[in-house]
Amino acid sequence: MKIVFFGTPQFAVPTLEKLLNNSQFEVLAVVTQPDKRRERGNKLSPSPVKAIATAHNLPVWQPERVKKDTETLTKLQQSGADVFVVVAYGQILSSKILNMPKLGCINVHGSILPKYRGAAPIQWCLYNGERETGIATMLMDVGMDTGAILQIATTPIGLLDNAQDLAERLAAIGGDLLVDTVLKLESEEIQPIPQNNLEATYAPLIQKEDYGLDWSKSAIQLHNQIRGFYPNCTATFRDNLLKITASAPLGSVSDRDLPSELQELLHKLPDLSNASNKPGVVVSIIKGIGAIVQTGEGLLLLREIQLAGKRPQSGWDFVNGTRLTVGEVFGAGS
């Protein structure tokens, strides 16, 4: 089968590699976003997908706006592809493009559609505390992730999984599911199933204000925000902005999902939750682990923290480096 692959970030790489390593497919070309300037050195850097395509000597097309780029549209039309595969490409495809290949355009989406349509399904499913997610392969239409479902694969979400962990796992699942989907669609073993729009939820682009931590929220809400928007959630400490990059909620229904070493810690701790402690106050410091902070409901263990301009460090290293004491206060982020 002849395929043109559309994709940009690391999330798309496993699917491209699965296609390249399968003798039943011929990847004709790769369409990816234009090279971006990175912070260090301000040099142009290729997308992860372009790096793989270049290593395999594939033609790479990088239009600024694929819907308007006459040259790319001509190449796509003349490619003779049986199917276009789209994984986190980053641009909307026009109906003209969607109708070019014989089997249509197949998208690999990081959620169990119709839940979490949009740009950031992995992040928002964690933020909302979902215990299961998955990958959906979809026959694309002109809507935002509204096309008919082809196949779905699911995976459980662990309490300490963050967006990076989950993205890596889903990317691997997506590669396998896409290969199976394309082969079964060609042989007519599966039929597209329309989505139920009444069950749809949305996962919009994450905004800067989504990163700020508000300690009046519950421990589980803060934990889900920290892992969902990893590694960018912010708080203040001694009037300086820092990032909380890993946490664990304590004293809640989620305790049973904690690793065994943290469960053992809980059994040894006295009851630290006290109504007189204001949200953000450090109520305990656990040797070798880190600080425990009062929230609006429950306690939050700070497992990893990143000071401005520094690498992330363990919660315990942060305690030692700052000489943190019980009673100090973490403020809201921004």
Side-chain angles (χ1 to χ4, degrees), residues 21-156:
N21 293 329
N22 191 313
S23 60
Q24 297 178 87
F25 304 117
E26 178 187 358
V27 180
L28 303 173
V30 165
V31 186
T32 190
Q33 292 276 53
D35 295 355
K36 300 291 185 183
R37 294 193 182 277
R38 307 301 176 187
E39 291 181 8
R40 292 186 179 179
N42 202 31
K43 294 182 179 179
L44 283 172
S45 298
S47 70
V49 163
K50 181 181 178 179
I52 297 298
T54 301
H56 286 80
N57 298 312
L58 293 172
V60 177
W61 306 333
Q62 297 179 270
E64 289 284 349
R65 295 186 64 195
V66 67
K67 294 191 295 185
K68 302 290 187 180
D69 192 286
T70 304
E71 182 180 354
T72 302
L73 289 172
T74 300
K75 289 177 180 177
L76 290 170
Q77 187 69 65
Q78 295 177 348
S79 68
D82 297 299
V83 63
F84 294 165
V85 170
V86 183
V87 188
Y89 170 48
Q91 294 190 38
I92 302 295
L93 303 187
S94 64
S95 59
K96 181 177 181 178
I97 296 173
L98 297 176
N99 292 326
M100 286 180 184
K102 179 177 66 175
L103 293 177
C105 295
I106 299 177
N107 177 239
V108 177
H109 185 76
S111 77
I112 304 172
L113 289 170
K115 294 186 73 174
Y116 299 106
R117 294 173 177 173
I122 296 170
Q123 291 86 344
W124 286 106
C125 85
L126 286 167
Y127 179 85
N128 289 327
E130 300 284 0
R131 299 176 69 90
E132 181 183 66
T133 188
I135 288 286
T137 50
M138 167 186 65
L139 198 60
M140 295 174 69
D141 61 18
V142 293
M144 174 65 76
D145 301 323
T146 56
I149 301 297
L150 296 169
Q151 292 196 101
I152 286 175
T154 63
T155 186

Side-chain angles (χ1 to χ4, degrees), residues 291-332:
I292 296 177
V293 178
Q294 180 71 52
T295 72
E297 181 183 345
L299 304 171
L300 192 69
L301 172 63
L302 306 186
R303 297 169 51 232
E304 188 179 82
I305 296 173
Q306 184 176 6
L307 296 166
K310 304 291 185 179
R311 294 179 180 274
Q313 58 184 258
S314 71
W316 181 239
D317 285 344
F318 174 79
V319 168
N320 284 332
T322 61
R323 299 186 182 274
L324 179 71
T325 59
V326 170
E328 289 198 77
V329 180
F330 283 88

Side-chain angles (χ1 to χ4, degrees), residues 163-182:
Q164 180 175 299
D165 302 327
L166 194 53
E168 289 175 358
R169 190 157 78 246
L170 288 174
I173 293 170
D176 289 328
L177 188 66
L178 183 278
V179 167
D180 188 61
T181 296
V182 173

